[in-house]
Amino acid sequence: MQNALIEAQRIFDVAPFIADLGCKLEKLESGICHASIELTEKHQQQDGFVHAGVQATLADHCAGTAAVTLIDDHQMVLTAEFKINLLRAAKGERLLCKSAVLKAGRVLTVAESEVFAEDENKKQRLVAKATVTLAVMDKPKVEGQ
Amino acid sequence: MQNALIEAQRIFDVAPFIADLGCKLEKLESGICHASIELTEKHQQQDGFVHAGVQATLADHCAGTAAVTLIDDHQMVLTAEFKINLLRAAKGERLLCKSAVLKAGRVLTVAESEVFAEDENKKQRLVAKATVTLAVMDKPKVEGQ
Amino acid sequence: MQNALIEAQRIFDVAPFIADLGCKLEKLESGICHASIELTEKHQQQDGFVHAGVQATLADHCAGTAAVTLIDDHQMVLTAEFKINLLRAAKGERLLCKSAVLKAGRVLTVAESEVFAEDENKKQRLVAKATVTLAVMDKPKVEGQ
Amino acid sequence: MQNALIEAQRIFDVAPFIADLGCKLEKLESGICHASIELTEKHQQQDGFVHAGVQATLADHCAGTAAVTLIDDHQMVLTAEFKINLLRAAKGERLLCKSAVLKAGRVLTVAESEVFAEDENKKQRLVAKATVTLAVMDKPKVEGQ
């Protein structure tokens, strides 16, 4: 778990798309990850709401990080598939995602992500819910890549 | 369809997240939309592959635009949910998405998106497949917003 | 809600496939439905486990009934789509499903179903989790059908 | 493939729920499976349409059988998850499912199923589309079970 913490933080730091979106790791425990995005105009679709793709990216990445807390040092995870329901048009100051592992398996881990939009009064509203299936695999050996 | 073409182009032009990602409208016909992204380092996850969130955003947005070609002028679409399977680790010069409407309904439209990664020799490989459910609704009246 | 209770019970009584499967309504509250199936050999796939289709049917039907508790008398729901993760091979004496509405909307309602397998000691294990999107619509007028 | 054919036929013959539903294997090729159900009142939900659970069972089972055609003799597949869109209320004489493998992998295979309702004039209409993710695994050794 100590190593997983370092690995999870590393993923947030070195993944260019995550850095570009402004995703910030908020909390990390065994099987749990919270992350957030400070919303700007850049995250919007054509009508001023947060783009579904932003919510999906946060939900997927946060679920993957929750899965990483439960794997061995020589392993990695890759998203095999996910499904997301956009429950309400999302608007606000901040997007917060809470992911938890539902089932950690030898080859597949399933995690769920709840995405909340937070307004200027820190009031949170559930705007999306995702289920993410991750493939657990051995990291490629550096020489073998 | 003439208006739909203008509306679809508008969505690509004015959606900040789509512009930020570098999504480009490639083709638009009745029930069909193709779009692409020139890949840069910014689109990557921690291991150098295209982030699932980039693929999901392209698949969702392109499916929504395909749906827009089949609605009336006073209507709009919003993604209700989507599911995406990431079939292979995606790498290459360009991401190309081909979306087609499977069923256009009065309140729900279902579209499918195939995402291809194109290498330097223009060889394309299917890297993801998504099914997108869109809610068709009347545009809010400007005064009533 | 009183009418919804009657309608929900009616759906379990008159839906032939549900009766054939042995689905039993266990609990009904506003936005919530629990249902069960006493498992027999008939519910199995080729290796002696409960068929994914049985779990999916229970998850879908129970979610739909939870949605019915929140609609008006002149409305009905139809499943637009669902996604189910089969978390563990399911075996036991009884299958129990707990469904709850995540978001009730004017045209779309989203509900979640957790399916548990119960062994001979009444110990329950989560075997599947589903997200169900339901279209809410007006019942067809009898003459207009 | 010869063994896969025998194995696929066996799955249809010995899976009690599939026999109970009246599922019939129609066609089997490398990566492809077609199957059908003669519709009776038993397959209906409360309003006389084919229950979503029947369509889901057929879509899942037929996809799994398509996957079986591409695995080794010592392997088996189990559905990890599936998602199905119910496109139209289904009614008719026969349900026909056409499944094809989209990507066959070492640990995961993804297949798609199209479900058609056939009326008394043999006219077919697409009523559902599913994406099925299957885990490929070694069969348990008989002694080791």
Side-chain angles (χ1 to χ4, degrees):
Chain A
M1 178 65 195
Q2 183 55 31
N3 285 339
L5 186 74
I6 295 166
E7 174 66 4
Q9 185 63 62
R10 186 190 73 84
I11 291 174
F12 270 79
D13 292 343
V14 308
F17 189 56
I18 292 310
D20 186 76
L21 268 188
C23 287
K24 214 178 108 194
L25 182 59
E26 296 282 352
K27 183 181 177 174
L28 199 69
E29 290 175 12
S30 180
I32 287 173
C33 179
H34 295 187
S36 68
I37 295 175
E38 295 292 326
L39 293 170
T40 66
E41 198 195 328
K42 154 184 166 154
H43 301 104
Q44 295 173 8
Q45 40 83 281
Q46 60 278 5
D47 302 305
F49 299 112
V50 181
H51 200 286
V54 174
Q55 301 179 57
T57 302
L58 182 60
D60 164 54
H61 199 81
C62 196
T65 308
V68 161
T69 65
L70 298 177
I71 59 174
D72 291 334
D73 289 359
H74 67 280
Q75 292 180 313
M76 59 183 285
V77 299
L78 270 182
T79 303
E81 63 85 35
F82 70 85
K83 183 244 207 285
I84 185 165
N85 276 68
L86 291 317
L87 303 169
R88 293 173 180 88
K91 217 165 184 169
E93 308 267 299
R94 209 168 72 108
L95 218 54
L96 180 68
C97 181
K98 301 181 182 182
S99 301
V101 170
L102 191 63
K103 163 83 196 306
R106 209 172 43 81
V107 292
L108 289 179
T109 285
V110 179
E112 292 185 300
S113 294
E114 292 182 313
V115 182
F116 301 86
E118 193 179 84
D119 67 15
E120 64 277 19
N121 301 316
K122 307 280 176 203
K123 210 191 138 208
Q124 294 175 3
R125 248 191 139 190
L126 183 69
V127 290
K129 175 90 189 251
T131 306
V132 185
T133 306
L134 300 128
V136 181
M137 55 188 68
D138 287 344
K139 278 184 190 161
K141 305 233 170 66
V142 175
E143 295 179 321
Q145 272 186 308
Chain B
M1 179 65 195
Q2 183 55 32
N3 285 339
L5 185 73
I6 295 166
E7 173 66 4
Q9 186 63 60
R10 187 189 73 84
I11 290 173
F12 270 79
D13 292 343
V14 307
F17 189 56
I18 293 310
D20 187 77
L21 268 188
C23 287
K24 214 178 109 195
L25 183 59
E26 295 283 352
K27 182 181 178 175
L28 198 70
E29 292 175 11
S30 181
I32 287 173
C33 179
H34 294 186
S36 68
I37 296 176
E38 295 292 327
L39 293 170
T40 66
E41 198 195 329
K42 152 184 168 154
H43 301 105
Q44 295 174 8
Q45 39 84 281
Q46 60 278 3
D47 301 305
F49 299 112
V50 182
H51 200 284
V54 173
Q55 302 178 56
T57 301
L58 182 60
D60 164 55
H61 198 82
C62 196
T65 307
V68 161
T69 64
L70 298 177
I71 60 174
D72 291 334
D73 289 358
H74 67 281
Q75 292 181 312
M76 58 183 284
V77 300
L78 270 182
T79 304
E81 63 85 37
F82 70 85
K83 182 245 206 285
I84 186 166
N85 276 68
L86 291 316
L87 303 169
R88 293 173 179 87
K91 219 166 182 167
E93 308 266 299
R94 208 168 74 108
L95 217 54
L96 179 68
C97 180
K98 302 182 181 180
S99 301
V101 170
L102 191 62
K103 162 83 195 304
R106 210 172 43 81
V107 293
L108 288 179
T109 286
V110 178
E112 292 184 301
S113 294
E114 292 182 314
V115 182
F116 301 86
E118 194 178 85
D119 67 16
E120 64 277 17
N121 301 315
K122 307 279 176 204
K123 211 192 137 206
Q124 294 176 2
R125 249 193 140 188
L126 182 69
V127 290
K129 175 90 189 253
T131 306
V132 185
T133 306
L134 300 127
V136 181
M137 55 188 67
D138 287 343
K139 277 184 190 160
K141 305 233 168 65
V142 176
E143 295 179 321
Q145 271 186 309
Chain C
M1 179 65 196
Q2 182 56 30
N3 286 340
L5 186 74
I6 295 166
E7 174 66 4
Q9 185 64 60
R10 186 189 74 84
I11 291 173
F12 270 79
D13 291 344
V14 307
F17 189 56
I18 294 310
D20 187 77
L21 268 187
C23 288
K24 215 178 107 194
L25 183 59
E26 295 282 352
K27 184 181 176 173
L28 198 70
E29 291 175 11
S30 181
I32 287 173
C33 179
H34 294 186
S36 69
I37 295 175
E38 295 291 327
L39 293 170
T40 66
E41 199 195 326
K42 153 184 168 155
H43 301 105
Q44 295 174 7
Q45 40 82 283
Q46 60 278 2
D47 301 305
F49 299 112
V50 182
H51 199 285
V54 173
Q55 301 179 57
T57 301
L58 182 60
D60 164 55
H61 199 82
C62 196
T65 307
V68 162
T69 65
L70 299 176
I71 60 174
D72 291 334
D73 289 359
H74 66 281
Q75 293 180 313
M76 58 183 284
V77 300
L78 271 182
T79 303
E81 64 85 36
F82 70 86
K83 182 245 206 287
I84 185 165
N85 276 68
L86 290 317
L87 303 169
R88 292 173 180 89
K91 220 167 181 166
E93 309 265 300
R94 208 168 73 109
L95 218 54
L96 180 67
C97 181
K98 302 181 182 180
S99 301
V101 170
L102 192 61
K103 163 82 194 305
R106 211 172 43 81
V107 293
L108 288 179
T109 286
V110 179
E112 292 184 302
S113 295
E114 292 182 313
V115 182
F116 301 86
E118 194 179 85
D119 67 16
E120 64 277 17
N121 301 314
K122 308 278 175 204
K123 212 191 137 208
Q124 294 176 3
R125 251 191 137 188
L126 182 69
V127 291
K129 176 89 188 253
T131 306
V132 185
T133 307
L134 300 128
V136 181
M137 55 187 68
D138 287 342
K139 278 183 191 161
K141 304 233 169 67
V142 176
E143 295 178 322
Q145 273 187 307
Chain D
M1 179 64 196
Q2 182 55 31
N3 286 340
L5 185 74
I6 295 166
E7 174 66 3
Q9 186 63 61
R10 186 190 74 83
I11 290 174
F12 270 79
D13 292 343
V14 308
F17 189 57
I18 292 311
D20 186 76
L21 267 188
C23 287
K24 216 178 108 195
L25 183 59
E26 295 281 352
K27 184 181 177 175
L28 198 69
E29 291 175 10
S30 181
I32 287 174
C33 179
H34 295 186
S36 69
I37 296 176
E38 296 291 326
L39 292 171
T40 66
E41 199 196 325
K42 154 184 167 155
H43 301 104
Q44 296 174 8
Q45 40 82 284
Q46 60 278 4
D47 301 306
F49 299 112
V50 182
H51 199 287
V54 173
Q55 301 178 57
T57 301
L58 182 60
D60 164 55
H61 199 81
C62 196
T65 308
V68 160
T69 65
L70 300 175
I71 60 174
D72 291 333
D73 289 358
H74 67 281
Q75 292 180 313
M76 59 184 284
V77 300
L78 270 182
T79 303
E81 64 83 37
F82 70 86
K83 183 246 206 284
I84 185 165
N85 277 67
L86 291 316
L87 302 170
R88 292 171 180 91
K91 219 165 181 168
E93 308 266 299
R94 209 167 72 110
L95 218 53
L96 180 67
C97 181
K98 301 181 182 180
S99 301
V101 170
L102 192 62
K103 162 83 193 307
R106 211 173 43 80
V107 293
L108 288 179
T109 286
V110 179
E112 292 184 302
S113 295
E114 292 181 313
V115 182
F116 301 86
E118 193 178 85
D119 67 15
E120 63 278 19
N121 301 316
K122 307 280 176 203
K123 209 190 139 209
Q124 294 176 3
R125 249 191 140 189
L126 182 69
V127 290
K129 176 89 188 253
T131 307
V132 185
T133 307
L134 300 128
V136 180
M137 56 187 68
D138 287 342
K139 278 184 191 161
K141 305 230 169 66
V142 176
E143 295 179 321
Q145 273 186 308

